[in-house]
Amino acid sequence: MTFLNEKSPRNIESIQRITNLISAIGEAESKHRAQIEEGPKDFWKTQTLDDLAPFHRVDSLLSSYLRVPVIHKGIALDGTTFVDIRMMLGNQDLPIAEQYAASQVINLVQTKKFSFLQKCTCGEWFVALRSDQKTCSKRCRLKSYVRSEDYKAKHRDLMKRRYQSKKEEVPPGSAL
């Protein structure tokens, strides 16, 4: 998701379109999950326009991107080469990087990994390796922990104990 992390002025509209797509897919996914959790009912017969609105929004955003077949070549893990045909986005009016980013988002949805797409506390987009991962790197994880209340409480306690031990080491009336 490096495209979303590029901050050049020429990409602003493209990045906005992709983030709109991401939020629309997330909204549709959570709406669907909520409907399923409501309990047993005839799902397709009870759909209202309000229920379908998030899905129509995703469809509308995806309609900007034309899907065209392209040949894809690669090397498998066992070293064999392969060639296959894949559907890629191909709207000539949109930047190729945006089209590629949209295809990556679509791929995450198709492979059931969309929920792993996260925005780090530093603002960078990344695909998490675990469902509980909230930061893009070790550096961000440490920064996030240092800002947490848990860390602050432990640090206060440590500093208090250190102050007390230093205070006990210095005899009263002696110069430091």
Side-chain angles (χ1 to χ4, degrees), residues 105-158:
V105 171
I106 292 167
N107 185 41
L108 288 172
V109 172
Q110 290 173 331
T111 57
K112 311 282 188 278
K113 294 180 182 175
F114 179 75
S115 60
F116 287 80
L117 181 60
Q118 303 282 334
K119 192 166 189 178
C120 182
T121 55
C122 70
E124 296 281 316
W125 286 90
F126 70 102
V127 178
L129 299 175
R130 297 176 322 277
S131 60
D132 63 339
Q133 185 178 346
K134 300 294 180 209
T135 56
C136 65
S137 65
K138 183 177 180 179
R139 180 178 179 214
C140 285
R141 187 176 69 242
L142 291 173
K143 275 179 147 179
S144 180
Y145 177 64
V146 167
R147 293 178 182 146
S148 72
E149 288 303 317
D150 184 40
Y151 173 81
K152 290 177 182 178
K154 287 179 183 178
H155 190 67
R156 271 193 304 271
D157 186 49
L158 175 69

